[in-house]
Amino acid sequence: MSQADAGHAAHGADDRLTSLLRPVRAGNGFEEALEQILQVLRLGLVAAGERLPAERELADRLGISRVTLREVLKVLQDEGLVESRRGRYGGTFVLPRTGAPGEEELRRRLKGVDVEDTLRFREVLEVGAAGLCAAHGLDEEGAARLREALGRTHDAPLTDYRRLDTLLHLTLAELSGSPTLTAQYAAVRARVNDLLDCIPLLVRNLEHSQRQHTALVEAVVEGDAEAAREIMREHCAGTAALLRGFLG
């Protein structure tokens, strides 16, 4: 692509993204920024061979730091969606989309699944369980179980993280004192895990999740129901952003 063509393509991409990219919420900046840029690529608003807007402009539009933006772009590079080119006419360029080996499996898993309904129901159950545990209070045994489940997720190998993360959330559901909620949560979490297995495990996202987990457990143990509900709501929103970005 010539210098003039590259400049024209980049300007065209900027125009198309004006109404789409928006500042993310502070709590899930990485996840929501990734969701938005994945949506841009999925919609074809920046064609293969075209350059994304400059880092400074993208970061400003999304309301995130350039460090966070570079982590987002690294994920997109690792997934083979964009490539970084150096030099005077360099930047981040969109690569042609190719059929990924897991696309058939992804279609099978998504068939008959209402992703939005699953995510909303999961949020209702998770936020409800967190609020109930904090409002009713945990005895020493319950608090110890919750902290032990949290501890197992710390420094867990990537291959085992999702299982231990599931057990932490399931422990919270069980401690809510509602067997019906626990059963419903187990069912919806199984569907969520099927979807999560179709997207990559991102270290930045897991580190963020762990900070949220720690804050959540402390809020529950301290009996702060409002904080527990809000932390869990934000936590679920981060997961939902990733799933919408990759699967939407």
Side-chain angles (χ1 to χ4, degrees):
M1 181 181 289
S2 70
Q3 173 186 350
D5 288 342
H8 178 73
H11 180 70
D14 291 353
D15 290 342
R16 291 192 295 274
L17 303 184
T18 298
S19 62
L20 188 62
L21 296 181
R22 61 198 181 279
V24 301
R25 292 171 295 183
N28 296 307
F30 169 80
E31 291 84 356
E32 291 188 13
L34 180 58
E35 176 191 13
Q36 289 192 44
I37 298 179
L38 281 166
Q39 184 181 49
V40 164
L41 300 182
R42 194 171 63 248
L43 292 173
L45 297 181
V46 183
E50 288 188 352
R51 185 172 61 200
L52 291 175
E55 283 187 6
R56 183 185 300 277
E57 182 179 350
L58 269 180
D60 286 346
R61 288 188 182 189
L62 293 166
I64 58 176
S65 69
R66 292 179 72 175
V67 171
T68 297
L69 176 63
R70 285 168 185 157
E71 292 178 326
V72 169
L73 296 178
K74 177 65 166 55
V75 170
L76 299 177
Q77 289 180 55
D78 291 345
E79 292 301 300
L81 299 174
V82 302
E83 69 175 2
S84 178
R85 300 176 191 170
R86 296 186 177 184
R88 184 176 179 185
Y89 305 117
T92 302
F93 289 80
V94 177
L95 294 174
R97 299 194 68 176
T98 58
E103 281 190 1
E104 184 175 342
E105 172 65 11
L106 174 57
R107 284 194 296 271
R108 185 189 70 77
R109 293 191 184 199
L110 290 178
K111 186 177 181 180
V113 175
D114 186 328
V115 175
E116 286 300 321
D117 180 66
T118 297
L119 294 176
R120 288 192 186 103
F121 189 44
R122 181 247 177 141
E123 180 180 336
V124 167
L125 295 177
E126 294 263 31
V127 171
L132 283 172
C133 285
H136 293 171
L138 298 180
D139 59 19
E140 286 188 14
E141 181 183 354
R145 280 187 61 197
L146 192 58
R147 285 198 167 117
E148 182 182 354
L150 172 66
R152 286 196 295 266
T153 65
H154 291 317
D155 301 319
L158 286 179
T159 53
D160 210 24
Y161 182 83
R162 191 152 290 150
R163 180 181 68 85
L164 296 174
D165 174 61
T166 299
L167 288 174
L168 170 61
H169 285 262
L170 190 58
T171 298
L172 188 66
E174 291 173 349
L175 291 172
S176 74
S178 170
T180 302
L181 187 154
T182 303
Q184 291 292 324
Y185 176 70
V188 78
R189 181 62 191 238
R191 293 198 296 275
V192 170
N193 280 358
D194 268 349
L195 300 176
L196 288 171
D197 285 343
C198 295
I199 70 174
L201 279 167
L202 308 177
V203 172
R204 167 63 187 267
N205 169 249
L206 298 188
E207 291 173 346
H208 182 209
S209 291
Q210 281 302 98
R211 290 193 295 272
Q212 290 176 326
H213 285 158
T214 300
L216 172 68
V217 168
E218 289 309 306
V220 169
V221 171
E222 291 172 7
D224 190 339
E226 183 177 352
R229 285 192 292 266
E230 187 54 37
I231 294 166
M232 182 62 89
R233 187 175 290 109
E234 189 173 276
H235 182 62
C236 290
T239 302
L242 285 184
L243 287 171
R244 290 187 186 109
F246 280 103
L247 305 180

